[in-house]
Amino acid sequence: MQSIFKKAKRIVFKFGTNALSADDGSLALSRLYSFMEDIAVLHQQGKEILIVTSGAVGVGRRILGLSGQEDGVSFKQACAAVGQTSLMKTYEDGFRDLGIVAAQVLLTEDDFSNRSRYLSLRDTLGRLLELKCIPVINQNDTVSPNELRGYKEKGVKVCFGDNDKLSALVASGMDADLLCIMSDVEGLYNADPRKDKKATLIHQVKGVTEEIEALGFCASSRGRGGMKTKLEAAKVVTRCGAAMIIAYGKKHGAVGEVFGPSFKGTLFLPVEDLPGKKAWLAYATNVTGSIKINAGAKKALCEKGSSLLPAGVVDVTGDFEPGDTVAIYDASGKEVARGLANYSASDSRKIMGCRSEEIAKKIGFKNYDELIHRDNIVLL
Ligand code: GLU
């Protein structure tokens, strides 16, 4: 376990609202300073650090003297606008005292789903790391109501509704070796520790299987995430070649402890190393439509890694253009893959069920034999 921490060169830390808050909801300043001191030690050792921080809404709420009962999205956005500057100033001042330059980066889901913005984000973050800065990242809550609303919006899957997923996208997009989620839970338990006294901590997980996913029952008290979103983050990160830990972060020196001999949380081992474009396709894009395939096509995709031909398609929904990301469902309605469509939704509807030789006859042209080429398909 220790060797994973030692070898990790690029590390993303995610500090949840709970890890950064005192019991009365105020920013736990000395705790945050202790995290920055521990991070400075790692930085000194040559590690590249990125931070994904929550806390803007909570800090803003206190500055504005709001009670927390004001539930509307625009209230939270206003709180985030007020709180973010104050939160960032704390990081900036703290790191400056430690001889480190912090850089603020605020992101929305579009910065991931739009490939050119995503590539530009990667370049900028890479440059910041080269300059030995520590990027301090949060969701750009003020301009993106989706982020503060939650997961699903009008049936379209959004990239992230919480900072757990954001930190996973940052870690996978930046090819990090390790994501450390510092939370108010000690890790993943085999039962709900609030209800079951016999619940024990799982120290190591290899692969976020359905059984592991079933353990995602604990919600977080203040932040938006919970164990479920942390397990989703683990799925993304471990398929993209990195390890992830969940550790208790509501105490002084919690970051240092992760890298010391007494680490107590849950470690998720890497299981796969999806190449960059496929990782983006699987986790960072928004799907604009979906394609249902028959059993034969599913077998070809999942077992042989084949392309998706129009003949295997039984239904097309949504409105997409060539190059857009579509979800691929099997006959039972389970999403099995994602891919970049070669034809628009309306053309796909006209050619579904046909042999590739019939494409030109049906829509008047044929640029590709496949509806989705295998290089542009990633299995989920
Ligand atoms: N962006 C939110 C904030 O800074 C936190 C989101 C989350 O906890 O997932 O308050």
Side-chain angles (χ1 to χ4, degrees):
M1 198 181 263
Q2 290 310 317
S3 76
I4 288 196
F5 299 143
K6 244 197 206 120
K7 273 199 234 136
K9 162 99 172 120
R10 188 171 282 185
I11 304 167
V12 178
F13 285 96
K14 187 258 170 174
F15 298 132
T17 301
N18 287 309
L20 296 181
S21 312
D23 288 336
D24 65 358
S26 63
L27 193 62
L29 263 186
S30 60
R31 193 188 305 150
L32 177 53
Y33 271 92
S34 82
F35 295 170
M36 289 193 265
E37 279 168 15
D38 293 342
I39 285 175
V41 173
L42 299 170
H43 193 259
Q44 188 64 34
Q45 293 166 359
K47 299 200 187 282
E48 296 172 327
I49 312 284
L50 300 103
I51 293 174
V52 174
T53 188
S54 300
V57 174
V59 171
R61 186 172 274 145
R62 278 188 73 85
I63 295 174
L64 290 167
L66 299 175
S67 64
Q69 303 304 314
E70 308 80 3
D71 238 4
V73 173
S74 58
F75 263 118
K76 290 188 191 155
Q77 290 178 295
C79 292
V82 172
Q84 178 62 29
T85 51
S86 176
L87 183 65
M88 193 59 215
K89 187 160 177 1
T90 311
Y91 279 105
E92 192 189 10
D93 291 348
F95 277 129
R96 189 188 305 111
D97 289 346
L98 295 160
I100 296 170
V101 178
Q104 173 179 261
V105 180
L106 296 177
L107 299 174
T108 65
E109 63 198 55
D110 297 342
D111 300 320
F112 289 89
S113 57
N114 177 309
R115 186 138 174 97
S116 69
R117 275 160 82 157
Y118 175 76
L119 294 176
S120 146
L121 169 66
R122 272 170 54 108
D123 287 349
T124 309
L125 291 176
R127 185 70 70 204
L128 284 168
L129 294 176
E130 239 174 72
L131 292 166
K132 308 265 178 275
C133 299
I134 296 191
V136 179
I137 303 164
N138 195 357
Q139 299 173 26
N140 195 355
D141 293 321
T142 44
V143 294
S144 183
N146 282 351
E147 262 66 315
L148 287 174
R149 218 172 257 148
Y151 257 156
K152 272 196 174 181
E153 183 80 344
K154 293 187 204 120
V156 176
K157 270 190 201 146
V158 299
C159 285
F160 52 83
D162 65 273
N163 273 2
D164 291 329
K165 182 77 189 283
L166 171 60
S167 66
L169 292 178
V170 169
S172 62
M174 291 308 293
D175 302 320
D177 304 300
L178 178 64
L179 167 63
C180 300
I181 296 197
M182 310 303 293
S183 179
D184 63 339
V185 286
E186 277 161 358
L188 180 68
Y189 282 87
N190 63 356
D192 189 343
R194 293 168 305 181
K195 295 186 193 139
D196 185 346
K197 289 229 154 45
K198 289 203 209 98
T200 52
L201 192 69
I202 302 174
H203 293 288
Q204 198 157 303
V205 174
K206 178 120 184 118
V208 183
T209 56
E210 278 175 16
E211 294 80 63
I212 293 289
E213 271 179 315
L215 300 174
F217 28 64
C218 302
S220 156
S221 53
R222 267 200 200 90
R224 279 203 303 282
M227 193 47 76
K228 190 168 180 295
T229 55
K230 290 176 183 45
L231 292 176
E232 278 167 15
K235 219 182 200 175
V236 174
V237 169
T238 57
R239 277 198 79 195
C240 297
M244 183 182 117
I245 59 137
I246 301 172
Y248 187 69
K250 244 188 129 166
K251 63 173 180 192
H252 259 74
V255 167
E257 269 182 28
V258 170
F259 292 81
S262 55
F263 169 67
K264 277 220 285 300
T266 303
L267 169 68
F268 296 81
L269 296 165
V271 287
E272 211 183 318
D273 197 359
L274 282 180
K277 189 172 170 199
K278 291 210 170 182
W280 172 77
L281 192 53
Y283 300 116
T285 55
N286 276 339
V287 293
T288 40
S290 61
I291 287 177
K292 197 180 243 183
I293 58 174
N294 63 24
K298 180 180 172 185
K299 200 163 179 225
L301 248 65
C302 299
E303 289 171 24
K304 296 196 204 116
S306 311
S307 297
L308 177 63
L309 301 175
V313 175
V314 293
D315 195 15
V316 176
T317 47
D319 187 17
F320 51 87
E321 293 301 320
D324 283 349
T325 307
V326 294
I328 303 172
Y329 289 90
D330 68 10
S332 74
K334 183 171 177 246
E335 188 179 359
V336 288
R338 280 189 188 175
L340 300 178
N342 279 340
Y343 291 96
S344 70
S346 61
D347 287 342
S348 300
R349 270 180 210 110
K350 288 181 197 144
I351 59 176
M352 69 185 189
C354 297
R355 283 179 297 114
S356 299
E357 300 80 73
E358 295 172 284
I359 293 178
K361 203 168 84 205
K362 294 271 175 192
I363 57 174
F365 71 98
K366 181 174 91 167
N367 289 340
Y368 306 91
D369 280 342
E370 319 81 20
L371 196 51
I372 307 181
H373 191 271
R374 62 167 181 267
D375 289 350
N376 293 326
I377 291 178
V378 59
L379 300 178
L380 294 178

